[in-house]
Amino acid sequence: MTNYFRRHLGAKLLLSYLVIIVVGVTVLILASQFVLPAAFNRHMNGMMGGGMGMAMGNQGLDNSGQMAQLYVDFRASFKIVAVVLSLYLSRSVIAPVHAMSLATERIADGRYDERVQVQGADELAQLASRFNQMAEKLDQTESMRRRLIGDVSHELRTPLTAIKGSMEGLMDGILPATNETYQQIHVEADRLNRLVDDLQELSRVEARAYELDLRPLDVSSIIRTVTKRLTPQFQMKRISLDLELASDFPRVFADEDRTVQVLTNLTGNALQYTPEGGRITISAKRLHSEVQISVRDTGIGIPSEHLSHIFDRFYRVDKSRSRHAGGGSGIGLTIARALVEAHGGRIWAESAGTEQGSIFTFTLPIAK
Ligand SMILES: Nc1ncnc2c1ncn2[C@@H]1O[C@H](COP(=O)(O)OP(=O)(O)OP(=O)(O)O)[C@@H](O)[C@H]1O
Ligand SMILES: [Mg+2]
């Protein structure tokens, strides 16, 4: 019962009205007990002091005077008690609302660390805790935005500095005007170009600014599309490809282009992070109501402490290596994860450690 009142603002308000009524009635009883005898005494004294006749004549008037006084006394004391009680009760309702209003103002001013105190368990307390959740989300989004701007500036600065340095070297005659120098500049400019393209794609994907054309798809035909596209890279690095697919495989419910994009990303990474002569295996299997598609390689592997970060934006296990090896910007897996999650699937990585190869797996729902 007490719990019910603690958790419902309406019940609390009802209770407070009841309390005021009870107090009113109590005041009335007390007033009639204390004021009435006094009035009666005053009345009797008046009768003794004045002449009998006069008293008889004044009695009706005096009596109604006493009653009026009693009524005035009752009203005054009732008002005081009611005002004090209402003030106390409305403060308990208004104080949290007021606190939230102040906090909203501060959040609007950009102070995202603002929180309100949650007291009790009623609707106002629930509102306060939701308010805090919202403030927490805003805080996270804001720090993500700041980090993103910092990261992007950092990523842009690296190729820009390289291009500027090479140009200055050329102008000062320190760098020879050879094909190699121009090629270096071109590589950096190309890197810049790719980075901007990737960022554009990432923001499109993360903002869900694209349509998913979901339909039943044949997984093996998707795998074929991807491997056909990447054949030159497989040949160039003399990496062999294995496919592990069951013949009576269910179709998945997914967007063809996006699925191809995810698998191209994972296979592209496997090619990039596997030394010449290695092996890449693409497999698919059914598990309950979903299909798991895996890309396994015999490459450089991923140390366990990096596994949980590689899907983060701009995250690279070995920054210098990927940068100089014409490596990417660490956005590919972030895009892949956003695309897989948009399909309602999951994506994860496994690796036994450095030089132990890696397995990247994503899931897609089976078409009904
Ligand atoms: N198959 C793999 N084997 C080993 N490490 C990998 C593999 N795939 C990804 N990684 C690690 O995860 C990091 C992030 O991969 P991601 O694809 O997001 O970025 P990237 O390949 O560096 O650049 P890009 O944005 O061009 O794809 C890589 O830098 C690499 O360190
Ligand atoms: Mg990549």
Side-chain angles (χ1 to χ4, degrees):
M1 187 69 179
T2 350
N3 229 2
Y4 181 82
F5 279 109
R6 279 191 51 217
R7 277 192 285 124
H8 293 88
L9 185 62
K12 258 190 201 171
L13 288 176
L14 179 68
L15 185 69
S16 69
Y17 292 138
L18 287 178
V19 168
I20 290 180
I21 291 171
V22 169
V23 167
V25 171
T26 316
V27 168
L28 181 62
I29 292 168
L30 288 177
S32 54
Q33 272 199 353
F34 290 111
V35 179
L36 255 190
F40 184 74
N41 277 345
R42 250 180 287 150
H43 173 67
M44 288 308 280
N45 286 344
M47 255 183 20
M48 295 303 172
M52 256 335 222
M54 241 180 87
M56 285 306 266
N58 280 348
Q59 193 181 2
L61 221 162
D62 206 19
N63 211 1
S64 69
Q66 300 292 347
M67 283 312 285
Q69 183 60 39
L70 172 64
Y71 180 63
V72 168
D73 286 351
F74 164 71
R75 249 193 14 195
S77 30
F78 180 67
K79 261 187 200 158
I80 293 169
V81 174
V83 165
V84 169
L85 247 170
S86 308
L87 267 180
Y88 171 76
L89 290 169
S90 57
R91 252 183 62 87
S92 70
V93 172
I94 290 181
V97 175
H98 187 61
M100 260 183 276
S101 148
L102 286 180
T104 317
E105 237 173 66
R106 285 193 283 263
I107 285 181
D109 283 342
R111 289 169 53 185
Y112 297 100
D113 56 346
E114 193 64 41
R115 300 288 180 277
V116 289
Q117 259 194 346
V118 183
Q119 275 169 347
D122 61 8
E123 285 88 346
L124 277 176
Q126 286 167 20
L127 181 63
S129 109
R130 297 259 155 79
F131 179 92
N132 285 344
Q133 281 172 11
M134 182 198 71
E136 179 75 37
K137 263 264 152 47
L138 281 174
D139 204 6
Q140 282 173 4
T141 312
E142 174 61 12
S143 57
M144 225 168 79
R145 188 185 68 86
R146 264 198 228 121
R147 213 165 348 118
L148 175 64
I149 292 180
D151 287 347
V152 170
S153 325
H154 177 78
E155 294 295 325
L156 290 176
R157 196 173 297 124
T158 316
L160 276 176
T161 310
I163 292 172
K164 196 162 165 260
S166 303
M167 293 306 264
E168 281 169 3
L170 273 173
M171 288 189 298
D172 296 345
I174 300 169
L175 271 181
T178 58
N179 234 355
E180 199 186 331
T181 311
Y182 291 126
Q183 198 132 29
Q184 252 174 25
I185 297 172
H186 187 262
V187 164
E188 290 300 339
D190 202 40
R191 223 181 104 70
L192 208 55
N193 214 5
R194 254 191 303 138
L195 177 61
V196 173
D197 283 350
D198 284 355
L199 278 173
Q200 204 173 17
E201 174 70 2
L202 178 67
S203 81
R204 240 164 51 87
V205 168
E206 285 197 333
R208 285 296 311 261
Y210 63 96
E211 289 285 321
L212 272 186
D213 181 15
L214 298 174
R215 54 183 75 199
L217 292 180
D218 183 23
V219 178
S220 65
S221 92
I222 288 184
I223 296 177
R224 243 178 289 122
T225 309
V226 173
T227 51
K228 216 160 128 192
R229 243 184 235 177
L230 294 173
T231 305
Q233 279 97 312
F234 273 100
Q235 284 170 349
M236 226 158 54
K237 283 192 89 170
R238 292 190 293 111
I239 289 175
S240 52
L241 172 70
D242 278 339
L243 297 183
E244 288 172 4
L245 269 177
S247 51
D248 56 339
F249 210 68
R251 301 210 287 176
V252 292
F253 194 60
D255 179 308
E256 181 165 11
D257 291 344
R258 297 308 181 174
T259 310
V260 166
Q261 191 178 353
V262 172
L263 193 59
T264 306
N265 245 326
L266 298 184
T267 315
N269 275 350
L271 278 163
Q272 190 172 352
Y273 302 106
T274 301
E276 276 193 27
R279 174 177 295 275
I280 292 174
T281 311
I282 302 179
S283 61
K285 66 175 180 213
R286 180 194 182 138
L287 216 79
H288 309 299
S289 60
E290 55 186 25
V291 163
Q292 289 192 350
I293 303 169
S294 298
V295 180
R296 192 166 75 232
D297 64 52
T298 56
I300 62 171
I302 302 164
S304 57
E305 67 267 27
H306 294 284
L307 275 177
S308 58
H309 298 293
I310 52 171
F311 293 93
D312 294 349
R313 186 194 285 137
F314 299 123
Y315 197 88
R316 285 165 301 222
V317 172
D318 182 351
K319 299 205 175 216
S320 60
R321 176 187 173 125
S322 40
R323 194 161 280 153
H324 291 125
S329 35
I331 297 180
L333 287 179
T334 318
I335 293 175
R337 182 180 58 184
L339 289 176
V340 169
E341 285 176 357
H343 282 87
R346 292 163 294 126
I347 184 167
W348 66 93
E350 295 158 273
S351 173
T354 312
E355 306 302 334
Q356 304 293 307
S358 319
I359 309 171
F360 282 80
T361 309
F362 67 101
T363 66
L364 288 174
I366 286 177
K368 302 219 164 60

